[in-house]
Amino acid sequence: MGFIEFFKEFFLGFWDYETPKIMVVKNRRLGVIYRAVQLLVITYFIWYVFISQKAYQDTETRPESSVYTEMRGMGMLGDSVRDTTEYVTPSEGGNVISTILQREVTYDQRQGKCAEHYNVPNANCTTDADCVKGELDFGGHGQRTGRCVSYYNYTFKTCEIRSWCPIEEFAAVREPALVEAINFTVFIKNAIHFPKFKVLRVNIKPRKPKKLLKCHYHSKTSPYCPVFRLGYIAEQAREKFSELCRTGGVIGVFINWKCDFDVDPSACIPSYSFRRLDLRRNLPSSGYHFRFAKYYYKDGEEYRSLIKAYGIRLDIIVHGHAGKFSLIPTIINTVTAMTSVGICSIICDWIMLTFIDKNEVYSERKFDDTSKESSPPAVTQLTISSYGSTHSDLSEGVPL
Ligand SMILES: *[C@@H]1O[C@H](CO)[C@@H](O)[C@H](O)[C@H]1NC(C)=O
Ligand SMILES: *[C@@H]1O[C@H](CO)[C@@H](O)[C@H](O)[C@H]1NC(C)=O
Ligand SMILES: *[C@@H]1O[C@H](CO)[C@@H](O)[C@H](O)[C@H]1NC(C)=O
């Protein structure tokens, strides 16, 4: 029986219209707080969300990008000329390009037997018994032969190894740095595509390539000329060029496209920034170097020149962000803004009930305590009685 009654009540209650009651509190202090909080929320949405963050736009933050780089310049090393083929790697010119600034060359290495370097663990020896035959230490340079020999022209002895001889640490010759490199230029061409908006942008203006290679980048006077001096890049990255020549280094070239397609798309020009990416100076492993070898044959035997190259590596990193007006984000953010204004009442309710409502007058009126009423029908009565006037004015009888 009770079960049916419950459903009957629920069914009847379902067709009632419910509306919240509004309570007007005539309190100047609370009113000022309320309007101030409201102003703050509205300002935040209009100024920050809509004007600064452009919440009315649809955005694309992962554009497709392609980079082509080309290094130019020429230097003298003693009497020999160094051109791009010698100092630029890789020759393709992708988004990583490096210039060799200084080299350590170990000439005429060939497969043979020679003394191991004395800094390798267990390499120092006095007799053959100190060296284990066939041992291959990855920290060393080759396979031990089991003999103890004098370290090249020195008096102390180390274990003999089978390797490319002589070893680099003993025989390497450091060449002078390529000081002219400070005036070398790198041309960075970058094409970017925003698939959502179907816009393709390039960081150069289509014009005669001859003219393009003569200019230098300047953010105001020549923004369409992505030709940078290496000295300029080092300066922008706040690094000393002479220091970079000595240790080498990795510098990030950041191309930043921030485009607003609601205005003229031709205003979409990238900005460039430079920052050193490898470990800081003063650390033993800081800097950038790599090794390669040149092979040749002399009397039918294979020789190589081992080159340890110190240089500047440029990593070109492209960031893109584009926006255009779109109805859906505008609606979503407008609704969010309007809903957020409701936070003001929550804050003010809390202030009112916690700090201002000393005599608990407001809370008594705000929360109609149904448990004080005799029976549930009284609640219905209350709802009906307040139906015509949902505003109840609390100005009188409230001690402020
Ligand atoms: C080996 O001997 C040399 C010369 O005496 C010394 O400089 C070097 O520190 C020694 N190496 C090791 C690993 O002890
Ligand atoms: C060993 O020879 C090199 C040149 O090959 C020389 O520079 C070095 O001073 C010599 N060392 C000794 C201890 O004789
Ligand atoms: C780099 O170029 C400037 C001006 O073109 C010149 O004064 C300077 O000597 C050059 N630096 C080197 C190391 O060649």
Side-chain angles (χ1 to χ4, degrees):
M1 249 340 238
F3 195 64
I4 291 165
E5 243 165 52
F6 171 76
F7 267 102
K8 196 176 157 193
E9 223 165 78
F10 176 79
F11 181 77
L12 290 174
F14 184 78
W15 299 107
D16 289 342
Y17 173 67
E18 291 165 8
T19 179
K21 200 164 105 180
I22 291 169
M23 188 164 109
V24 176
V25 181
K26 295 251 160 131
N27 182 314
R28 181 62 54 83
R29 230 185 316 162
L30 202 59
V32 168
I33 292 170
Y34 179 60
R35 291 296 172 207
V37 173
Q38 229 173 18
L39 189 76
L40 217 68
V41 171
I42 290 168
T43 313
Y44 165 78
F45 272 97
I46 290 178
W47 182 77
Y48 181 76
V49 176
F50 280 93
I51 295 175
S52 174
Q53 296 292 305
K54 298 197 167 78
Y56 55 87
Q57 286 184 334
D58 192 6
T59 57
E60 165 91 78
T61 52
R62 288 184 164 272
E64 296 151 1
S65 143
S66 127
V67 173
Y68 167 77
T69 46
E70 192 182 330
M71 195 83 79
R72 297 196 146 245
M74 210 169 277
M76 294 297 293
L77 198 74
D79 288 335
S80 72
V81 173
R82 291 290 144 105
D83 65 13
T84 48
T85 321
E86 262 107 39
Y87 62 77
V88 175
T89 56
S91 46
E92 269 172 81
N95 46 14
V96 173
I97 193 165
S98 47
T99 324
I100 298 168
L101 297 174
Q102 189 155 39
R103 312 194 306 173
E104 273 176 23
V105 189
T106 311
Y107 295 102
D108 299 333
Q109 274 191 329
R110 65 181 167 131
Q111 293 282 337
K113 291 173 184 171
C114 53
E116 175 64 288
H117 192 250
Y118 53 81
N119 270 349
V120 174
N122 305 324
N124 282 355
C125 61
T126 46
T127 63
D128 288 354
D130 296 335
C131 301
V132 183
K133 192 180 173 193
E135 195 186 4
L136 197 59
D137 190 341
F138 287 175
H141 296 83
Q143 191 188 34
R144 302 226 166 133
T145 61
R147 288 178 56 206
C148 185
V149 295
S150 57
Y151 184 73
Y152 302 94
N153 55 357
Y154 290 83
T155 50
F156 64 91
K157 286 177 151 190
T158 62
C159 288
E160 192 186 48
I161 49 163
R162 199 184 295 280
S163 176
W164 285 97
C165 290
I167 58 163
E168 188 187 21
E169 277 89 343
F170 171 72
V173 180
R174 198 173 176 102
E175 291 180 346
L178 197 66
V179 286
E180 291 94 341
I182 197 166
N183 282 338
F184 288 178
T185 59
V186 59
F187 167 60
I188 303 169
K189 192 164 125 183
N190 177 215
I192 196 164
H193 180 226
F194 293 98
K196 204 185 254 180
F197 307 121
K198 296 188 178 60
V199 175
L200 177 74
R201 299 287 305 160
V202 185
N203 65 342
I204 52 170
K205 255 192 181 149
R207 55 174 166 177
K208 284 189 191 126
K210 217 176 174 182
K211 206 175 164 193
L212 188 63
L213 294 171
K214 280 219 176 106
C215 66
H216 281 125
Y217 177 77
H218 190 278
S219 59
K220 294 277 178 315
T221 55
S222 50
Y224 281 110
C225 170
V227 176
F228 305 91
R229 263 179 70 240
L230 286 187
Y232 173 83
I233 290 175
E235 190 186 298
Q236 292 288 305
R238 281 184 254 121
E239 294 292 331
K240 261 211 197 103
F241 198 80
S242 56
E243 188 66 22
L244 284 173
C245 284
R246 207 173 56 76
T247 63
V250 182
I251 294 181
V253 176
F254 297 88
I255 307 182
N256 204 357
W257 296 82
K258 206 162 179 4
C259 301
D260 184 353
F261 294 136
D262 289 333
V263 299
D264 187 6
S266 71
C268 173
I269 305 171
S271 62
Y272 302 85
S273 58
F274 308 87
R275 187 158 49 83
R276 183 140 178 205
L277 294 180
D278 65 325
L279 289 167
R280 285 277 117 192
R281 291 157 292 208
N282 312 326
L283 285 172
S285 54
S286 75
Y288 176 70
H289 62 255
F290 59 95
R291 285 186 178 83
F292 61 96
K294 290 181 191 162
Y295 296 88
Y296 55 94
Y297 284 88
K298 209 154 69 181
D299 303 328
E301 221 177 324
E302 190 186 28
Y303 283 82
R304 76 177 188 188
S305 290
L306 177 67
I307 298 160
K308 183 178 183 185
Y310 293 86
I312 294 182
R313 192 176 94 178
L314 300 176
D315 285 11
I316 291 115
I317 297 158
V318 182
H319 291 300
H321 181 281
K324 196 176 187 171
F325 173 78
S326 174
L327 202 59
I328 292 165
T330 309
I331 292 170
I332 291 172
N333 285 298
T334 311
V335 170
T336 311
M338 282 148 108
T339 317
S340 302
V341 174
I343 288 178
C344 308
S345 342
I346 296 170
I347 293 171
C348 290
D349 275 358
W350 177 71
I351 293 173
M352 175 180 83
L353 298 173
T354 319
F355 299 111
I356 296 175
D357 193 15
K358 294 265 167 12
N359 302 321
E360 301 200 343
V361 179
Y362 298 140
S363 44
E364 212 157 88
R365 298 294 289 265
K366 187 160 171 65
F367 305 106
D368 287 333
D369 200 342
T370 52
S371 66
K372 278 182 190 163
E373 310 292 340
S374 52
S375 59
V379 180
T380 326
Q381 209 71 42
L382 191 81
T383 322
I384 293 161
S385 67
S386 64
Y387 188 68
S389 58
T390 46
H391 287 67
S392 62
D393 207 316
L394 269 188
S395 63
E396 324 117 54
V398 177
L400 294 179

